[in-house]
Amino acid sequence: MVDAPAQVRPGGRSAKVRAAVHHAVAQLLAEEPAEALTIPAVAARAGVHPTTVYRRWGSAAQLLGDVATSRFSGDVVVPDTGTLAGDLERWLGDVATDLTDPDTLALMRATIGSGPEGGCACIGDRHEQLSAMIERERSRGGRTPEVESAVDFLLGPLYYRAIFSAQPASSDWARELVATFLAASEALA
Amino acid sequence: MVDAPAQVRPGGRSAKVRAAVHHAVAQLLAEEPAEALTIPAVAARAGVHPTTVYRRWGSAAQLLGDVATSRFSGDVVVPDTGTLAGDLERWLGDVATDLTDPDTLALMRATIGSGPEGGCACIGDRHEQLSAMIERERSRGGRTPEVESAVDFLLGPLYYRAIFSAQPASSDWARELVATFLAASEALA
């Protein structure tokens, strides 16, 4: 009989190291400018040897990408309200609420700043979730917008406000975005 | 007679230092990961003393903000084609083209990563330019969308693709965005 490899044993040492390192990244970003986020600083905070972090993540950019992907996947529930409008309004409102959290924004900014792949990591499973809601409406026989235009006109304005604008992206405003988007899709169909 | 202060004399030493430091930031970002952009590294590349850079900009974040604001203001010409659709298509196409340049994107990512004010600095005078085109159409007596919704539905999708998505933001696609936006504004008016 062969032992399962240590790095995939759930709750094993490897999972504990990962949790401690992810937690240390979140703590450091909440406390200090992103430039203070170095692998030695993360390792010290997590109570592990820097070599462990280098060996597993390679660089601060890859570590941030891993933290962001895991933070922004599965964190927002796909609602099932019975209508596409209801689903999108609740979902985009929840995503908007998350984007008003200063710690969320600090993680996003640091991840974007870490390199070309950072931005995608900050989107996590948002496109798959949008696609699932639109697909469900289609299977009910409803007329649906394209996923690509939902990404452009719902996630586009929301993430633009969160990162590029001084205007807050409130959840009320996000729900209005959904109403405008669906009305425009209907009018132009 | 009182001499003009040295720091505002055009072409004076202060202007030369500023140009050299801005140029050094652009060069370093094109060559190395953003984390290598420290004030000592910028000063060495620009051939000035680090103290000069610290005294004038205070931190790498403020320096990046200054470089981005100046880089993204006045760099795109506001066209005057005679119609709002023509103006917006040419302008957004030019903004999109700029966002396909890897050096532009590297400056934006580093500036966003440098702190909460970084994203706004990357927008430079884009909102004022949008507003000027819409205002001109209004003064011609045309029906016009709100500047705020033009920001949401034109700049939103464009900057989302540039930073968060693996999909390129081509200038052809940007021109289609304008057509969709104006048709939707008309339909929902």
Side-chain angles (χ1 to χ4, degrees):
Chain A
M1 189 180 124
V2 178
D3 280 341
Q7 63 270 27
V8 297
R9 183 150 32 94
R13 180 170 145 67
S14 177
K16 279 183 197 147
V17 166
R18 182 169 188 269
V21 167
H22 277 217
H23 187 62
V25 168
Q27 281 189 325
L28 288 172
L29 286 176
E31 290 166 17
E32 302 197 67
E35 63 203 58
L37 194 102
T38 61
I39 287 192
V42 170
R45 179 64 66 100
V48 302
H49 200 279
T51 314
T52 308
V53 182
Y54 281 115
R55 200 180 292 136
R56 183 146 171 183
W57 284 280
S59 67
Q62 283 175 274
L63 172 56
L64 275 167
D66 185 37
V67 171
T69 300
S70 117
R71 167 69 181 74
F72 298 115
S73 297
D75 59 323
V76 174
V77 174
V78 175
D80 190 1
T81 64
T83 66
L84 181 61
D87 289 352
L88 290 177
E89 282 176 16
R90 187 170 302 170
W91 180 80
L92 203 69
D94 288 349
V95 175
T97 300
D98 188 34
L99 293 180
T100 60
D101 178 347
D103 293 348
T104 301
L105 292 172
L107 171 60
M108 281 176 57
R109 285 191 296 259
T111 308
I112 292 167
S114 73
E117 320 296 328
C120 280
C122 294
I123 298 306
D125 64 1
R126 305 281 187 254
H127 291 195
E128 291 76 8
Q129 292 192 320
L130 253 186
S131 179
M133 287 179 280
I134 289 173
E135 199 43 61
R136 187 166 53 203
E137 177 73 7
R138 191 166 296 156
S139 72
R140 280 192 293 249
R143 273 237 295 265
T144 56
E146 297 297 322
V147 175
E148 188 177 296
S149 60
V151 168
D152 288 339
F153 296 115
L154 297 178
L155 295 180
L158 190 54
Y159 281 78
Y160 181 86
R161 281 210 183 179
I163 293 296
F164 293 102
S165 158
Q167 267 183 305
S170 74
S171 62
D172 281 350
W173 169 77
R175 283 187 286 269
E176 282 168 36
L177 267 185
V178 171
T180 304
F181 169 67
L182 290 176
S185 302
E186 193 65 29
L188 301 181
Chain B
M1 189 180 126
V2 179
D3 280 342
Q7 63 270 26
V8 295
R9 183 150 32 95
R13 179 168 148 66
S14 179
K16 279 184 197 146
V17 166
R18 182 168 187 268
V21 167
H22 277 217
H23 187 61
V25 168
Q27 281 189 324
L28 287 171
L29 286 175
E31 290 165 18
E32 303 197 66
E35 64 205 59
L37 193 101
T38 62
I39 286 193
V42 170
R45 178 64 66 101
V48 301
H49 200 279
T51 313
T52 307
V53 182
Y54 281 114
R55 201 179 292 137
R56 183 146 172 182
W57 284 279
S59 67
Q62 284 175 273
L63 173 55
L64 275 167
D66 185 37
V67 171
T69 300
S70 118
R71 166 69 180 75
F72 297 116
S73 297
D75 59 323
V76 174
V77 173
V78 175
D80 190 0
T81 65
T83 66
L84 181 61
D87 290 352
L88 290 177
E89 283 176 15
R90 187 170 303 169
W91 180 79
L92 202 69
D94 287 349
V95 176
T97 300
D98 188 34
L99 294 180
T100 59
D101 178 346
D103 293 347
T104 301
L105 293 172
L107 170 61
M108 283 176 56
R109 286 191 296 259
T111 308
I112 292 168
S114 73
E117 319 297 329
C120 281
C122 295
I123 298 307
D125 63 1
R126 305 280 186 253
H127 291 195
E128 291 76 9
Q129 293 193 319
L130 252 185
S131 179
M133 287 179 280
I134 290 174
E135 200 43 61
R136 187 166 53 202
E137 176 73 6
R138 191 166 297 155
S139 72
R140 280 192 292 247
R143 273 237 297 264
T144 55
E146 296 297 321
V147 175
E148 188 177 295
S149 60
V151 169
D152 288 339
F153 295 116
L154 297 179
L155 295 180
L158 190 55
Y159 282 79
Y160 181 87
R161 281 210 182 177
I163 292 296
F164 293 104
S165 158
Q167 268 182 305
S170 72
S171 62
D172 281 350
W173 169 78
R175 283 188 284 269
E176 282 168 36
L177 267 185
V178 171
T180 304
F181 169 66
L182 290 177
S185 302
E186 193 66 30
L188 301 182

